[in-house]
Amino acid sequence: MSPSRISTRIRRIKPSPSSAAADRFAELRREGRDIINLAIGEPDFDTPAHIRQAGCEAIERGETRYTPVAGTLALREAIAAKLQRENGLAYSPREIIVTCGAKHALFNALSVTVEEGHEVIVPAPFWVSYPDIVLACDGTPVIVACREEDDFRLTPEALEAAITPATRWLVFNSPTNPTGTTYTGAQLRALADVLLRHPQVMVLTDDIYEHIRFDDVPPRHLLAIEPALRDRTLVVNGVSKTYAMTGWRIGYAAGPADIIAALDMLQSQSTSGVSSVSQAAAVVALNAEPTFLPEWVATYRKRRDTALRMLNAIPGIRARAPGGAFYLYPHCGGLIGKRTPEGKTLATDNDVVIHLLEAGGVMVLAGTAYGMSPYFRMSTATSVEQIEEGCRRIARAVARLS
Ligand SMILES: Cc1ncc(COP(=O)(O)O)c(C=O)c1O
């Protein structure tokens, strides 16, 4: 197809590297290669039985028709109750919209608020989709590097320096994909103080990993710390990671009524309401006690500790302990400049990742995709045996470098 048929907006963006990695993994598997996949971006647990059951029951009850565009009242009430109970945030169902995953909420939020010339601050390392979503919505991503020695945390100084009169949004994701970075109440307070000085900046919080946390710091929401930001904050979340419901496609946004109304209008002319069956399952997910969660988090923690111990024993690699989520973001600068047995010099983290795949049979994702090099992202959303074998393979592939 002629490229000119495709709009400039779409020609600006690239496919998600995580989806590309999943495709490559499937391809290598089909070729019969034995690959350990540490590029996974979703929980390896099954959706809990009571939630699956709720989906089946919704089908049997005949809940198979269109729902309101913004989502069923039952689900919006469950989301409102969750935001109050878990985050100390008061929203009415009118201020909430259900979307096809958190990604859809983010995409639509920027679609209805960003115009050419608007800047959107994206702290790096970032979740791969943020800059492309900004570009697809005609905005300009402003990437703010967050240093490893600060645990990849956005500092108030870096935030202040990035804000201009054209800044429309700050995208704030914590625990962060890919670094697992978390914030204390005092650190959030300091960021809020900067934001209070710049009333043109809206804040999009992506809370999708909120329940996967390993630190002992009580989780606080930026908006609960500074309620004065309420009129310019959009809270984005979903059930994908907490409840292992990635395929059900339920996300949501809570925020000021005008933004929610614009989101409703966009959805009414595009996707309409999200799957009725998934919504019924999400009501049960949010309203029932998540008794499975402590065990899942303990499992993620054990895997994280195993991966940290093994990676930090490999010369040329160093990894910090993430405070949450299910990824590690190890530095691989010590491998840059080394040569493979085939005589190729590793010049970038992309070369490192290709070497690990080709020589080691282990798939991780290059830091270039996450906006900070030389690093790679390794997922711990797989069994501890796979993580151990993956790390052994990384060690062997590194040992072959000279
Ligand atoms: C930071 C972040 N936000 C949002 C999403 C998307 O979530 P959903 O599956 O609900 O669209 C992901 C998925 O990987 C993510 O890592």
Side-chain angles (χ1 to χ4, degrees), residues 41 100-104 106 127 130 173 177 206 208-209 238 240-241 246 249-251 327:
C100 178
K103 189 186 259 185
H104 188 216
L106 290 157
W127 178 44
Y130 296 139
N173 170 224
N177 176 2
D206 177 347
I208 199 87
Y209 294 101
S240 294
K241 316 287 176 172
T246 46
R249 308 311 301 133
I250 296 284
Y327 311 104

Side-chain angles (χ1 to χ4, degrees), residues 1 45 131 134 139 153 159 174 228 259 261 275 330:
M1 195 188 289
F45 301 109
V134 175
R153 224 168 259 119
L159 174 60
S174 169
I259 295 186
S275 151

Side-chain angles (χ1 to χ4, degrees), residues 208-229:
I208 199 87
Y209 294 101
E210 66 177 339
H211 286 294
I212 307 173
R213 284 186 74 130
F214 316 118
D215 47 17
D216 300 325
V217 183
R220 299 286 307 277
H221 199 279
L222 178 66
L223 190 50
I225 295 222
E226 185 43 84
L229 293 172

Side-chain angles (χ1 to χ4, degrees), residues 56-141:
C56 296
E57 285 168 9
I59 294 174
E60 293 306 327
R61 276 198 309 273
E63 287 182 26
T64 54
R65 300 181 189 280
Y66 289 134
T67 73
V69 170
T72 62
L73 183 60
L75 180 51
R76 283 178 293 131
E77 281 174 348
I79 293 165
K82 173 263 181 263
L83 290 170
Q84 183 68 67
R85 183 177 68 241
E86 297 181 354
N87 308 107
L89 303 177
Y91 283 100
S92 72
R94 220 172 21 85
E95 298 169 300
I96 293 169
I97 186 163
V98 179
T99 56
C100 178
K103 189 186 259 185
H104 188 216
L106 290 157
F107 192 95
N108 282 1
L110 298 193
S111 299
V112 302
T113 54
V114 171
E115 297 187 83
E116 215 175 306
H118 285 159
E119 296 174 356
V120 177
I121 297 178
V122 178
F126 47 69
W127 178 44
V128 290
S129 291
Y130 296 139
D132 286 286
I133 292 177
V134 175
L135 290 170
C137 296
D138 297 331
T140 305

